[in-house]
């Protein structure tokens, strides 16, 4: 429905642009003064007036329509005002299911009445949408056409519209952040009405599965996030243990020792590692690395889990190598040549120059890069979803299996996602924690890198 | 000089201190210093070797496990339909399973009850329906004998590819002795073939590995990227132009800038939460739809795109802008006619690389339900579908042996698309990008 | 004409200046395809200040950087010919570049202190070369180097502060002190005053004059007055060729070469 309307709207805009172009040309040929704007601007102006208001209306209408209908249906549903939020959600989804024809049991007469109500509402809403969109478009087209005159400053009008679009586009980033923050905070707030704040932040048991039993009072499952956070830290630490030395050493070799040819071959090859999707790393970890780690552990006499933290962390570390390498590369390259010259002129070897002059000078940049990589490791999802465990455990043994914040978010939300039980909402609380940690790390890292850039 | 080797390292002369660089002490020290230098160099080589070695092993393993999925064992069977109990008016109505079983059993002679079951399970379980569809397409087949080529089931496919260890005791493998015997019989007759597995590209998902393909996932990814491009490209360029050319320097634009930089580093799973809570929860958009996935991916791609576009706008020399303004073009016209076309190659390169990243993105798609089991390709952005990476996730989680090879093959296909997109980006960069 | 000049300078340097620290013979330098120096023959006398002058791009800095093989750090740079230090060929593969650079120190156009404390800047050289055995000895070297560079009084109370916090002139003297700390025999200075104000320049020039007692100094300079003030001998470069070399007094009062005269009197350059 909406897509047809959008196509009709596009055609209407083009038509009014053509009409506008025609009229503007005639006006120009008849004009006795110098016209302000070229005909093309008049045409564009007419098209914008025709299309944009109706388009914006359709967009908002489609986004808001469903929730308004739900509200209206519920308000006329007998006894709905006594229901709690989740029960209302359940009810409305039942009505929607019946309306879509998915009948599992014979619905009650109230539900059937509500479905009829919903159907009639939808009809009204659709006609209302068509009517409003059509009138917006025709009013726009009428004025857009009428206003075309030799004195009319169509270019200003078009440019103003474009500027507004650009301003809106710039604000999209802020809207996105606000969307993230508000959705996380809202759902996490819902969660904390069911599970106490302190239990979530300081609890040491994480067993969300228990809470899905229907007869259980919500919130009696164990929702202590400490072991999950701990697991995240263990895997991130393992990843950094692989990525930091490898990344920095390879950056040192590439910037200071390698010749131009070697660099031009190896750098893009390293970049490939960064371009491989994380799900590929995850599958590789499961397919190859985890069994290898397991047999390594067994040969060392350690009882290694099949989904060990070491396998997940190690593969994640490799994924981060190009990231750290290229940021360290930038940091080394930003150290002025004069520093190198100064050190060489004193008779320092390359190694001494690197260790004692370049490394300290590039350190802030490298630290910034490492922090960004750490934030990536904490937020990395697919590798751990595939290769790490599901059971939250507080262990430092890299051959044991641990779980992470991102693994829990995905497993809690995969499959059903009704926003009414603490199990689902817990994912948003974890998401809020994840967002806060990574945001903090990013801000510190960007600050470090920026300060460092100012220095040179 | 070497004669002075025994003298102390630093000696005081009338000129002040002078160092005896050739003393044995100094020589030993320098040897140590050079060794340290070489050690550092070796660590660097080792690090690069490790990273590249991992890359080689990764690609090698995936190719090695995945290449087998590019062929599929098929069996060709002759069936005489002239005597079969088929409702000729309406072939759809017949019991195809029985017809099929009767037809294939003629080929091998007497079998006990359980052996019959073993035999039937050697063909893909939807073989009767494949034959049915062929007959409905061409009813003239019913008049006599005809041969049909159908896929063999997963365990037999493994056997045909030599992946089943026949030396193992019978109860430890998924193919029993009778099946091996029957298979050898069929092979001796020349009925077994291993053609290229077109089904991998033209079939949709299936519970049976031998029938599962990527058509649904590929078209799902196409719709995703289309939505992602249609949103992020215009919005990204508009935002970049505004911030680079129009925005006043104040705290609000600073805020936008910090925001964009931070969004670029927000974990992808958080964008998935955003999509789930806002697009599905608040706006009530359909689950598993490429529209929602594309919108989430667009929000993720946007920061990168804005940063790339701003950099390329900045690199256009101001003299060009001044020249255009100087002949009386408006600021908008200057940007549209001169600055934007000049920076377009870089913007396109950045966009393609951004889309390539979006193509491999998995976590946010899982959260909005794009890992559903869907057996037909989506025909629009509102229909439930999977995407290439989520299909990989689904297959990787499936227990059947045949899905291991198929997962690797799907990864190779995904990597193939990524290589293609990045090659286009590199081509654009080298062909059109100019350095000022 | 050029070879004549070269032989002449060699003869004159042999008769007037018996002690030669460094000797360059037929030095050619290439940056990739481009030749930057053409067969330069030049001797550096011991315990004197030699100034290299000439218009920009004439190759004087290139020649200076050959003397401690700093050109090695530029990948595309190739040096041909013969350069000796105390009679030893410094481009001999057996020569240890680390030792060479310790014996032939260098000060750059722009002061380039390391982003470390003043103390660490000076201590860096002695530490890497293992010149001191104890902390006390190192402290002594730092102090004496700073004293010799005439900056001790200004920084003695803030040795732990970053070297980058000093003023330009102080930074340059710090860099000179850093070079002195490894007890070099020769100090090369590449336009050491070009980034400094006149007062700082005067201080550095004064310092150069004092250092002559202990070190052999080669200084590249843009300023004729500076060459005249600080050097005993002067060499004039033009387009990669050595035009003329001789005692500074003679060069500035009665140069043999027309080109030198024009340059010194400011007709070009």
């Amino acid at each position: 429905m909406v897509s047809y309307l959008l196509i009709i709207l596009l055609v209407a805009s083009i038509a009014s642009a053509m009409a506008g172009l025609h009229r503007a040309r005639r006006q120009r040929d008849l004009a006795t003064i110098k016209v302000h704007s070229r005909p093309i601007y008049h045409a564009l102006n007419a098209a914008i007036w025709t299309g944009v208001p109706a388009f914006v209306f359709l967009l908002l209408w489609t986004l808001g329509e469903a929730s308004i209908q739900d509200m209206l249906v519920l308000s006329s549903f007998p006894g709905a005002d006594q229901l709690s939020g989740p029960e209302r959600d359940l009810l409305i989804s039942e009505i929607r299911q019946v309306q879509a024809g998915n009948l599992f049991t014979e619905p009650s007469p109230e539900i059937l009445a509500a479905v009829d109500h919903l159907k009639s509402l939808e009809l009204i809403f659709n006609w209302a949408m068509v009517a409003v969109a059509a009138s917006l478009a025709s009013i726009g087209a009428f004025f857009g056409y009428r206003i075309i005159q030799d004195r009319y400053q169509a270019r200003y009008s078009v440019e103003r519209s474009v500027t507004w679009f650009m301003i809106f586009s710039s604000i999209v980033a802020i809207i996105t952040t606000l969307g993230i923050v508000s959705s996380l905070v809202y759902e996490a707030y819902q969660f904390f009405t069911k599970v106490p704040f302190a239990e979530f932040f300081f609890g040491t048991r994480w067993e969300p599965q228990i809470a899905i039993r229907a007869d259980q009072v919500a919130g009696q499952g164990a929702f202590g996030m400490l072991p999950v956070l701990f697991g995240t830290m263990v895997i991130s630490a393992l990843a950094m243990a692989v990525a930091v030395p490898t990344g920095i050493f390879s950056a040192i070799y590439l910037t200071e020792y390698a010749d131009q040819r070697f660099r031009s071959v190896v750098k893009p090859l390293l970049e490939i590692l960064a371009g491989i999707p994380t799900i590929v790393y995850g599958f590789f970890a499961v397919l190859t690395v985890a069994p290898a780690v397991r047999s390594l552990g067994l040969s060392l006499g350690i009882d290694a889990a099949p989904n060990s933290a070491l396998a997940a962390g190690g593969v994640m570390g490799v994924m981060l190598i190009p990231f750290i390498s290229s940021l360290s590369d930038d940091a080394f390259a930003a150290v002025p040549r004069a520093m190198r010259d100064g050190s060489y002129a004193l008779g320092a070897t390359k190694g001494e120059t690197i260790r004692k002059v370049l490394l300290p000078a590039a350190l802030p940049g490298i630290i910034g890069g490492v922090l960004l990589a750490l934030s990536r490791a904490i937020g990395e999802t697919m590798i751990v979803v595939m290769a790490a465990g599901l059971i939250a455990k507080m262990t430092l043994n890299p051959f044991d299996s641990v779980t992470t914040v991102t693994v829990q978010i995905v497993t809690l939300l995969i499959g059903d996602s009704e926003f009414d039980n603490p199990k689902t909402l817990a994912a948003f609380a974890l998401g809020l924690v994840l967002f806060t940690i990574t945001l903090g790390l990013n801000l510190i890292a960007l600050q470090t890198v920026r300060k460092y850039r100012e220095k040179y | 000089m070497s004669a002075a080797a025994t003298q102390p390292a630093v000696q005081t002369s009338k000129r002040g201190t002078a160092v005896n660089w050739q003393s044995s002490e100094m020589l030993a020290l320098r040897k140590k210093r050079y060794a340290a230098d070489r050690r550092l160099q070796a660590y660097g080589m080792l690090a690069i070797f490790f990273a590249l070695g991992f890359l080689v092993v990764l690609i090698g393993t995936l190719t090695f496990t995945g290449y087998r999925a590019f062929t599929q064992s098929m069996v060709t069977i002759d069936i005489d339909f002239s005597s079969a109990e088929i409702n000729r008016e309406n072939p759809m109505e017949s019991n195809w399973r029985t017809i099929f079983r009767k037809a294939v059993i003629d080929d091998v002679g007497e079998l006990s009850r359980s052996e019959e079951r073993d035999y039937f399970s050697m063909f893909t379980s939807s073989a009767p329906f494949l034959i049915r569809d062929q007959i409905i397409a061409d009813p003239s087949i019913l008049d006599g004998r005809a041969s049909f080529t159908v896929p063999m089931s997963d365990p037999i496919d493994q056997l045909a590819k030599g992946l089943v260890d026949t030396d193992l005791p019978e109860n430890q493998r998924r193919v029993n002795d009778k099946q091996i015997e029957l298979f050898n019989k069929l092979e001796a007759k020349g009925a077994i073939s291993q053609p290229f597995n077109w089904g991998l590209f033209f079939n949709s998902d299936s519970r049976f590995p031998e029938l599962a393909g990527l058509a649904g996932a590929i078209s799902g990814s196409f719709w995703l990227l289309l939505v992602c491009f249609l949103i992020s490209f215009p919005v990204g360029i508009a935002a970049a132009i505004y911030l680079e050319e129009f925005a006043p320097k104040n705290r609000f634009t600073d805020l936008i800038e910090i925001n964009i930089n931070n969004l670029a580093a927000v974990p992808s799973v958080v964008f998935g939460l955003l999509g789930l809570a806002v697009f599905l929860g608040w706006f009530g958009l359909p689950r598993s739809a490429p529209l929602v996935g594309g919108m989430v991916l667009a929000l993720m791609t946007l920061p990168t795109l804005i940063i790339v576009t701003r950099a390329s706008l900045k690199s256009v020399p101001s003299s060009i802008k001044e020249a255009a303004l100087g002949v009386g073009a408006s600021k908008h016209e200057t940007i549209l006619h001169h600055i934007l076309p000049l920076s377009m190659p870089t913007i396109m390169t950045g966009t393609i690389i951004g889309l390539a990243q979006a193509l491999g993105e998995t976590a946010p798609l899982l959260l909005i339900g794009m890992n559903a089991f869907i057996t037909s390709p989506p025909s629009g952005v509102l229909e439930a579908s999977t995407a290439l990476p989520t299909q990989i996730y689904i297959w990787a989680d499936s227990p059947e042996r045949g899905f291991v090879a198929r997962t690797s093959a799907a990864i190779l296909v995904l990597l193939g698309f990524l290589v293609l997109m990045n090659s286009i980006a590199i081509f654009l960069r080298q062909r059109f990008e100019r350095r000022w | 004409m050029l070879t004549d000049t070269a032989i002449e300078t060699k003869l004159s340097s042999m008769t007037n200046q018996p002690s030669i620290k460094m000797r360059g013979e037929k030095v050619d330098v290439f940056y990739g395809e481009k030749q930057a120096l053409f067969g330069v023959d030049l001797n550096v006398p011991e315990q004197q200040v030699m100034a290299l002058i000439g218009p920009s791009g004439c190759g004087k800095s290139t020649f200076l950087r050959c003397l401690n093989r700093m050109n090695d750090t530029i990948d595309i740079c190739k040096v041909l010919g013969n350069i000796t230090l105390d009679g030893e060929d410094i481009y001999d593969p057996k020569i240890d570049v680390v030792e060479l650079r310790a014996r032939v120190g260098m000060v750059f156009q722009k002061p380039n202190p390391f982003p470390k404390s003043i103390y660490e800047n000076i201590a860096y050289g002695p530490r890497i070369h293992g010149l001191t055995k104890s902390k006390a000895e190192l402290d002594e070297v730092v102090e004496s180097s700073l004293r010799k560079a005439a900056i001790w009084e200004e920084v003695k109370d803030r040795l732990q502060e970053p070297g980058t916090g000093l003023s330009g002139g102080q930074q340059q003297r710090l860099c000179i002190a850093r070079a002195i700390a490894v007890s070099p025999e020769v100090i090369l200075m590449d336009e050491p005053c070009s980034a400094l104000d006149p007062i700082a320049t005067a201080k550095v020039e004064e310092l150069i004059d004092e250092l002559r007692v202990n070190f052999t100094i080669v200084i590249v300079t843009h300023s004729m007055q500076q060459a005249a003030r600080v050097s005993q001998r002067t060499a004039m470069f033009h387009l990669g060729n050595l035009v003329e070399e001789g005692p500074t007094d003679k060069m500035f009062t009665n140069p043999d070469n027309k080109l030198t005269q024009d340059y010194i009197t400011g007709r070009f350059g």
Side-chain angles (χ1 to χ4, degrees):
Chain A
M1 182 72 185
V2 178
S3 44
Y4 290 123
L5 281 182
L6 287 178
I7 292 169
I8 293 171
L9 199 57
L10 187 66
V11 173
S13 300
I14 293 172
S16 65
M18 303 301 269
L21 192 64
H22 189 72
R23 182 177 159 103
R25 284 208 176 121
R26 217 179 45 225
Q27 294 269 359
R28 180 191 59 188
D29 296 342
L30 294 174
T32 48
I33 57 165
K34 184 183 176 329
V35 292
H36 177 270
S37 303
R38 285 184 291 139
I40 183 74
Y41 282 110
H42 289 284
L44 282 174
N45 192 43
I48 290 172
W49 285 33
T50 311
V52 172
F55 177 73
V56 171
F57 164 75
L58 280 179
L59 221 57
L60 294 177
W61 185 267
T62 333
L63 290 180
E65 177 178 55
S67 32
I68 295 173
Q69 284 170 4
D70 290 352
M71 228 163 63
L72 290 175
V73 169
L74 278 178
S75 66
S76 66
F77 195 87
D81 42 342
Q82 275 125 48
L83 295 174
S84 69
E87 284 169 323
R88 289 164 77 102
D89 290 350
L90 215 63
L91 179 65
I92 199 70
S93 76
E94 191 181 347
I95 296 172
R96 290 251 173 216
Q97 286 291 326
V98 173
Q99 190 223 10
N102 302 333
L103 298 171
F104 300 110
T105 54
E106 190 54 38
S108 65
E110 289 93 353
I111 299 261
L112 284 176
V115 168
D116 285 339
H117 186 193
L118 183 60
K119 275 183 181 155
S120 63
L121 272 180
E122 279 192 345
L123 201 68
I124 296 169
F125 269 59
N126 272 342
W127 280 113
M129 175 173 73
V130 173
V132 175
S135 41
L136 277 176
S138 15
I139 293 170
F142 177 72
F143 283 106
Y145 185 76
R146 278 289 302 278
I147 205 165
I148 298 173
Q149 271 169 13
D150 48 16
R151 283 170 207 279
Y152 179 60
Q153 298 175 328
R155 181 166 60 79
Y156 286 161
S157 172
V158 171
E159 289 182 351
R160 239 185 341 261
S161 308
V162 172
T163 306
W164 277 113
F165 174 65
M166 293 194 297
I167 292 175
F168 166 77
S169 300
S170 320
I171 297 173
V172 166
I174 290 196
I175 298 175
T176 310
T177 310
L178 285 180
I180 290 175
V181 171
S182 58
S183 62
L184 291 181
V185 167
Y186 175 76
E187 307 290 353
Y189 171 76
Q190 299 283 317
F191 174 72
F192 288 122
T193 59
K194 294 165 199 285
V195 174
F197 211 68
E199 186 197 327
F200 180 71
F201 281 106
F202 304 111
T204 53
R205 274 174 56 238
W206 177 264
E207 286 146 10
Q209 281 75 11
I210 295 169
I212 58 175
R213 275 204 339 256
D215 57 337
Q216 190 161 17
V217 179
Q220 282 192 350
F223 284 105
M225 68 150 199
L226 282 184
V228 181
L229 202 60
F230 189 83
T232 306
M233 293 305 156
V234 168
I235 288 193
S236 305
L238 287 169
M240 299 313 276
V242 172
V244 172
T246 322
I248 294 179
F249 278 128
S250 56
I252 286 176
Y253 189 85
L254 286 177
T255 49
E256 303 299 322
Y257 287 108
D259 59 23
Q260 186 58 44
R261 271 215 0 239
F262 185 83
R263 199 162 41 230
S264 66
V265 173
V266 170
K267 256 198 97 145
L269 283 179
L270 279 183
E271 297 297 327
I272 291 180
L273 278 177
I276 293 177
T278 54
I279 179 128
V280 178
Y281 282 105
F283 182 65
F284 181 68
V286 176
L287 187 71
T288 311
V289 181
V293 168
R294 187 167 153 79
S295 50
L296 171 76
L298 292 179
S299 73
L300 290 173
I302 303 165
D303 185 22
N307 45 10
S308 55
L310 186 56
V315 170
M316 195 194 282
V318 174
M319 181 195 85
L320 294 173
I321 290 173
F323 196 70
I324 291 189
S325 171
S326 78
L327 285 170
S328 310
D329 210 315
D330 292 349
F332 282 122
V335 179
R337 210 193 144 72
M339 290 297 124
R340 272 163 251 248
D341 281 353
S343 177
Y344 290 139
L346 286 170
T349 62
K350 232 171 198 177
E352 285 157 351
T353 307
I354 293 164
R355 273 184 291 135
K356 298 186 175 153
V357 177
L358 299 185
L359 210 53
L363 204 57
I366 294 174
I367 288 177
V370 168
L371 288 179
L372 282 179
L374 179 62
S375 132
R376 283 217 167 176
I378 292 173
E380 170 47 44
T381 310
M382 287 324 293
I383 295 178
V384 279
V385 163
M386 298 184 81
L390 288 176
I391 310 297
K393 227 185 288 180
M394 292 242 210
T395 172
L396 278 172
N397 177 3
F399 288 100
D400 210 338
S401 129
V402 294
T403 192
T404 73
V405 173
T406 49
V407 172
Q408 290 305 318
I409 291 177
V410 170
T411 36
L412 291 176
L413 289 180
I414 241 174
D416 76 308
S417 58
E418 296 303 328
F419 290 91
D420 53 357
N421 66 41
K423 189 185 151 209
T424 315
L425 293 173
F428 285 91
L430 284 180
L432 188 60
V433 171
L434 178 67
F435 180 72
T436 315
I437 293 177
T438 50
L439 183 73
L441 281 174
N442 293 339
L443 283 176
I444 297 171
L446 289 176
Q447 203 66 30
T448 321
V449 172
R450 185 182 303 168
K451 257 208 193 116
Y452 164 73
R453 288 226 178 95
E454 279 162 10
K455 220 170 93 191
Y456 291 112
Chain B
M1 272 228 144
S2 53
T6 48
Q7 290 174 6
V10 182
Q11 57 172 188
T12 312
S13 72
K14 62 179 192 306
R15 294 203 282 117
T17 56
V19 180
N20 178 5
W21 294 100
Q22 295 299 319
S23 70
S24 53
E25 207 181 333
M26 277 295 175
L27 285 172
L29 179 69
R30 281 213 295 279
K31 216 168 151 188
K32 245 170 69 189
R33 290 170 60 196
Y34 277 120
D37 183 42
R38 275 194 301 274
R39 238 176 4 251
L40 186 63
Q41 193 170 356
Y43 293 151
M45 293 266 264
L46 210 65
I48 290 173
F49 181 77
F50 171 72
L52 295 187
F54 187 96
L55 182 65
V56 169
V57 173
L58 175 82
I59 304 288
T61 316
L62 291 175
T63 315
F64 186 72
T65 51
Y67 82 96
R68 291 196 182 89
F70 287 100
T71 61
Q72 166 68 42
S73 311
M74 308 286 268
V75 61
T76 308
I77 39 178
D78 274 353
I79 304 181
D80 184 3
F81 283 107
S82 46
S83 61
E85 295 164 27
I86 295 172
N87 180 348
R88 280 166 204 260
E89 302 303 303
N90 189 357
M92 234 13 203
E93 295 289 294
S94 318
N95 187 344
W96 283 97
R97 196 172 285 273
T98 330
I99 298 169
F100 172 74
R101 291 190 169 183
K102 246 192 197 138
V104 293
I105 215 80
D106 290 345
D107 260 17
V108 284
E110 284 301 298
L111 289 173
S112 75
R113 249 251 140 66
S114 72
E115 285 170 347
E116 267 184 21
R117 229 187 356 258
D118 292 339
Y119 182 51
F120 294 142
S121 71
M122 289 173 67
F123 303 94
T124 177
S125 66
S126 57
F129 311 113
L130 293 173
I131 291 174
R132 178 195 68 195
D133 293 346
Q134 234 170 309
I135 288 174
I136 290 170
D138 178 14
S140 67
I141 297 174
L142 286 175
D143 298 337
R145 284 189 86 79
S147 52
F148 298 90
T149 305
V150 294
M152 309 212 72
S153 70
D154 178 42
I156 305 301
D157 184 43
Q158 306 280 325
L159 177 71
K161 287 169 180 167
L163 296 172
V164 175
D165 183 2
T166 48
D167 296 334
L168 279 173
E170 192 176 2
N171 59 2
Q172 284 183 24
R173 49 184 142 88
R174 292 167 62 229
V175 192
N176 61 28
D177 291 340
K178 187 68 193 172
Q179 285 177 320
I180 295 174
E181 186 197 319
L182 290 167
F183 175 79
N184 288 339
K185 224 182 233 172
L186 286 172
E187 192 161 40
K189 264 172 55 184
I192 309 282
S193 58
Q194 288 239 4
F196 184 78
N197 185 7
W198 289 108
L200 186 63
F201 297 95
F202 295 114
N203 289 358
S204 277
D205 199 8
S206 163
R207 295 266 180 246
F208 306 104
E210 66 271 17
L211 296 176
L214 293 169
I218 291 173
S219 60
S221 276
F222 168 77
W223 289 116
L224 274 177
L225 289 193
L226 186 70
V227 172
C228 176
F229 174 77
L230 287 180
I231 296 175
S232 63
F233 189 69
V235 172
I237 291 182
I241 292 177
Y242 182 74
L243 293 174
E244 195 57 44
E245 305 284 345
F246 290 94
K249 198 82 192 111
N250 58 27
R251 291 180 71 171
F252 185 66
T253 46
D254 275 355
L255 184 73
I256 294 180
E257 215 150 304
I258 294 171
N259 223 302
I260 289 172
N261 283 333
N262 272 318
L263 268 187
V266 167
S268 61
V269 71
V270 171
F271 281 93
L273 289 174
L274 169 80
L276 177 60
V278 175
F279 295 147
L280 300 189
W282 297 355
F283 294 154
L285 293 174
R287 246 179 108 73
S288 313
L291 176 68
V292 181
M295 280 158 71
V296 172
L297 293 182
L299 293 183
M300 290 180 61
T301 320
L302 210 53
T304 330
L305 196 57
I306 293 176
I307 293 168
V308 169
T309 307
R310 287 190 66 176
S312 79
L313 291 174
K314 206 179 280 175
S315 73
V316 177
S318 58
S319 58
I320 288 175
K321 194 159 95 185
E322 283 153 13
L325 291 173
V327 296
S330 76
K331 201 166 177 185
H332 285 78
E333 286 171 326
T334 306
I335 291 163
L336 186 69
H337 298 162
H338 299 282
I339 297 180
L340 205 52
L342 286 171
S343 43
M344 217 24 146
T346 324
I347 297 176
M348 286 309 295
T349 309
T351 308
I352 294 173
I353 290 174
L355 286 178
Q357 267 170 15
L359 177 61
E361 206 50 73
T362 322
L365 302 185
L366 290 185
L367 293 196
I368 57 160
M370 293 197 73
N371 57 334
F373 176 68
I374 290 154
T375 53
S376 62
S379 54
V381 292
L382 286 170
E383 267 177 53
S385 97
T386 58
L388 264 176
T390 49
Q391 190 70 60
I392 292 169
Y393 176 74
I394 298 168
W395 284 359
D397 254 10
S398 306
E400 286 85 359
R401 286 276 305 159
F403 276 123
V404 175
R406 277 193 156 59
T407 311
S408 302
I411 287 176
L412 291 178
V413 171
L414 174 63
L415 292 181
F417 278 116
L418 292 182
V419 168
L420 182 72
M421 290 171 83
N422 282 295
S423 313
I424 294 173
I426 291 169
F427 171 77
L428 279 177
R429 178 179 299 163
Q430 289 179 344
R431 178 77 178 71
F432 296 109
E433 199 171 271
R434 35 172 107 204
R435 300 236 159 264
W436 304 102
Chain C
M1 182 201 89
L2 185 76
T3 42
D4 285 353
T5 323
I7 292 164
E8 210 173 295
T9 49
K10 201 179 258 179
L11 281 174
S12 74
S13 65
M14 272 168 158
T15 47
N16 301 343
Q17 202 64 48
S19 173
I20 289 170
K21 189 70 185 171
M22 298 191 82
R23 187 191 295 273
E25 282 170 50
K26 299 202 171 54
V27 178
D28 291 327
V29 175
F30 296 85
Y31 289 113
E33 299 287 289
K34 197 175 156 276
Q35 186 162 5
L37 278 187
F38 299 85
V40 172
D41 293 292
L42 184 62
N43 298 328
V44 177
E46 190 163 22
Q47 277 171 284
Q48 287 202 352
V49 178
M50 166 167 254
L52 308 182
I53 61 170
S56 27
C58 67
K60 53 194 192 304
S61 285
T62 302
F63 181 76
L64 189 77
R65 292 171 67 91
C66 290
L67 296 180
N68 68 345
R69 290 179 56 179
M70 277 305 279
N71 281 330
D72 289 14
T73 61
I74 301 164
D75 287 339
I76 54 165
C77 182
K78 213 172 82 196
V79 180
L80 300 177
N82 209 357
I83 301 174
T84 59
L85 171 65
D86 289 338
E88 271 182 299
D89 182 2
I90 65 169
Y91 279 89
D92 189 312
K94 274 183 299 205
I95 280 291
D96 185 349
V97 116
V98 161
E99 180 201 325
L100 171 73
R101 292 198 188 130
R103 290 173 62 192
V104 184
M106 188 160 186
V107 175
F108 296 87
Q109 195 166 358
K110 255 178 74 182
N112 58 348
F114 300 132
K116 301 165 179 256
S117 69
I118 294 170
Y119 182 93
E120 287 299 321
N121 261 287
I122 309 296
Y124 178 73
R127 271 217 190 104
I128 57 172
H129 290 295
L131 298 183
T132 54
K133 297 277 176 291
S134 63
K135 175 85 171 78
E137 228 179 300
L138 186 62
D139 287 349
E140 209 181 291
V141 170
V142 169
E143 181 179 340
S144 73
S145 306
L146 287 169
R147 274 190 198 285
K148 278 185 206 155
I151 191 180
W152 171 251
E153 292 303 322
E154 290 157 68
V155 300
K156 66 179 175 193
D157 299 326
R158 43 175 178 153
L159 289 177
Q160 295 312 322
E161 283 171 35
T164 41
L166 297 172
S167 73
Q170 288 173 323
Q171 283 190 12
Q172 195 59 298
R173 278 178 288 150
L174 179 71
C175 291
I176 294 173
R178 186 175 71 187
I180 293 171
V182 285
S183 316
E185 294 152 40
V186 183
I187 300 177
L188 310 175
M189 298 188 177
D190 191 355
E191 301 191 34
C193 300
S194 67
L196 305 184
D197 61 62
I199 294 169
T201 302
K203 280 198 171 162
V204 173
E205 280 180 10
E206 207 176 303
L207 170 62
I208 292 170
D209 203 44
E210 287 166 17
L211 291 174
R212 178 162 63 96
V213 183
N214 292 318
F215 306 97
T216 302
I217 293 171
V218 185
I219 177 170
V220 164
T221 177
H222 231 88
S223 142
M224 294 309 105
Q225 291 84 344
Q226 187 172 57
R229 278 194 301 265
V230 301
S231 72
Q232 284 73 51
R233 292 188 77 82
T234 299
M236 158 80 184
F237 283 75
H238 184 239
L239 297 174
N241 293 300
L242 177 65
V243 176
E244 186 176 354
E245 190 269 357
T248 302
D249 307 343
K250 178 171 176 291
M251 284 282 280
F252 279 85
T253 49
N254 185 21
D256 292 334
N257 196 295
K258 175 83 168 45
L259 212 56
T260 316
Q261 193 170 7
D262 288 351
Y263 184 64
I264 289 167
T265 51
R267 299 242 175 96
F268 80 103

